[in-house]
Amino acid sequence: MALTLGRRSVDNGFRRAIHHMCLNSVKGQRFYNTTVSKEERNSGNSGGTVVSERRGAVMVIGINRPEARNAVNQETAQRLTEELTAFDQDNSLNAAVLYGVGGNFCAGFDLKELAQSSGSLKLEQDVCRGPGPMGPSRMRLSKPLIAAVSGYAVAGGLELALLADLRVVEESSIMGVFCRRFGVPLIDGGTVRLPQLIGLSRALDLILTGRPVKAQEALTFGLANRVVPDGQALEVALELAEQVSAFPQLCLRADRNSAYHAVFDSSSFTQAMQYEIDHGLPVIPAEAVTGATKFSSGAGRGGTFSKSKL
């Protein structure tokens, strides 16, 4: 069901990139079943509101509205959804990096567009039928996403950063629920992901006060995974993505998915443990035996444990 502010409407335009979103009752994972053509994926890659570039097995995606501190309008939300859907479906890609062009990660939803088109703004209320207002916020990606945060990552921009597995944050960056002061609710997963990430008490501190959070405090909270000098977030995020993408991928994704399942989908400790073993065992003949053979032969010793930059 799509909602138009002021009236109900079917939102076909805003959901062009999403055919449907399914709930896998066996694995407990939501996933987008979408086909994006190469022509659609490549159009606007060097310009427009979202830019993208492939670097080996890593996809780099940038929000490109620097004049608006990379606030997301409907067009940008659609393009972000297309890019991340294409990334998730491409078997030759192992990780993605999301960043903001021009010094800011994202200042949230474009409030000017909200104010000017409140009567025609169409939002999908059914989270299983289409994207969120910020675009890909309802997705459950099957592969790692790393956010390179510079400048402001606030309101819906914070929610996009929470979509990522890891956040590399520059020293002068500011994060926070700035939409509090304007009466704009968190409807892109902020109230869902933030308490799980940093705990309910700290999450409520940010949600209720809307106060700014600097990089070092974000690191203390666990909201940031790395704090780097200004201007280096994208470079460090890329290095991190390349290192993660070099690991055996079946094992990495099984462990990653099990962690998400335990946090968001599991009904009990026993159920979470069962999910872990059920999805981990198939990895042993597929990757672990090869890895163990490599280690026992000496090829995996030393460098594997002593030289990692992660």
Side-chain angles (χ1 to χ4, degrees):
M1 176 175 61
L3 293 182
T4 299
L5 301 186
R7 67 179 186 278
R8 296 182 184 273
S9 171
V10 177
D11 181 14
N12 291 326
F14 188 54
R15 293 189 284 116
R16 178 172 61 86
I18 300 300
H19 295 170
H20 62 277
M21 182 179 177
C22 304
L23 177 64
N24 186 330
S25 59
V26 177
K27 295 184 178 180
Q29 295 178 357
R30 293 182 175 86
F31 60 94
Y32 284 91
N33 186 2
T34 309
T35 301
V36 181
S37 69
K38 290 183 178 179
E39 290 75 16
E40 288 178 313
R41 195 157 63 239
N42 292 332
S43 63
N45 280 9
S46 59
T49 61
V50 174
V51 294
S52 63
E53 177 186 359
R54 178 172 183 146
R55 298 194 183 184
V58 176
M59 178 59 72
V60 184
I61 302 169
I63 305 172
N64 188 31
R65 300 189 73 216
E67 73 285 352
R69 289 182 174 172
N70 290 321
V72 170
N73 58 10
Q74 291 187 79
E75 176 189 353
T76 309
Q78 178 177 300
R79 289 286 295 117
L80 284 172
T81 303
E82 291 172 347
E83 289 289 349
L84 282 172
T85 299
F87 155 70
D88 210 40
Q89 293 176 342
D90 191 331
N91 293 329
S92 66
L93 292 169
N94 293 335
V97 172
L98 180 63
Y99 74 103
V101 175
N104 288 290
F105 180 74
C106 176
F109 192 80
D110 190 338
L111 296 185
K112 290 183 179 179
E113 181 175 85
L114 177 62
Q116 294 170 2
S117 58
S118 61
S120 59
L121 184 64
K122 300 161 188 170
L123 305 177
E124 178 54 69
Q125 186 174 8
D126 187 339
V127 299
C128 291
R129 288 180 58 86
M134 295 293 294
S137 56
R138 295 171 180 171
M139 296 180 73
R140 180 79 66 86
L141 295 170
S142 64
K143 296 176 284 190
L145 173 66
I146 299 173
V149 178
S150 59
Y152 286 98
V154 296
L158 173 62
E159 292 180 289
L160 281 183
L162 296 176
L163 173 65
D165 298 87
L166 302 172
R167 284 152 294 281
V168 178
V169 180
E170 293 184 357
E171 289 176 338
S172 66
S173 294
I174 299 292
M175 308 176 86
V177 185
F178 281 20
C179 50
R180 176 60 54 235
R181 64 195 68 177
F182 301 112
V184 179
L186 296 170
I187 52 176
D188 281 276
T191 65
V192 178
R193 293 188 175 102
L194 189 61
Q196 292 288 0
L197 190 67
I198 66 174
L200 179 61
S201 179
R202 284 172 167 170
L204 286 175
D205 179 8
L206 304 189
I207 291 170
L208 296 180
T209 67
R211 68 178 181 85
V213 177
K214 296 181 179 180
Q216 287 299 327
E217 185 180 14
L219 182 65
T220 302
F221 278 7
L223 183 55
N225 299 93
R226 308 280 193 280
V227 172
V228 299
D230 289 354
Q232 294 186 19
L234 181 55
E235 177 185 353
V236 173
L238 278 168
E239 291 177 355
L240 190 55
E242 289 168 353
Q243 292 167 8
V244 168
S245 70
F247 290 129
Q249 290 298 299
L250 290 179
C251 181
L252 181 142
R253 294 175 196 176
D255 288 347
R256 174 185 178 274
N257 290 337
S258 182
Y260 275 113
H261 179 84
V263 170
F264 289 106
D265 297 314
S266 179
S267 59
S268 68
F269 174 79
T270 301
Q271 199 276 332
M273 292 291 287
Q274 191 64 56
Y275 184 96
E276 181 186 65
I277 190 70
D278 288 345
H279 292 78
L281 280 179
V283 175
I284 294 178
E287 287 184 346
V289 172
T290 301
T293 302
K294 180 180 178 181
F295 176 81
S296 62
S297 68
R301 296 179 184 174
T304 301
F305 301 105
S306 65
K307 296 181 181 180
S308 175
K309 296 180 181 179
L310 294 177

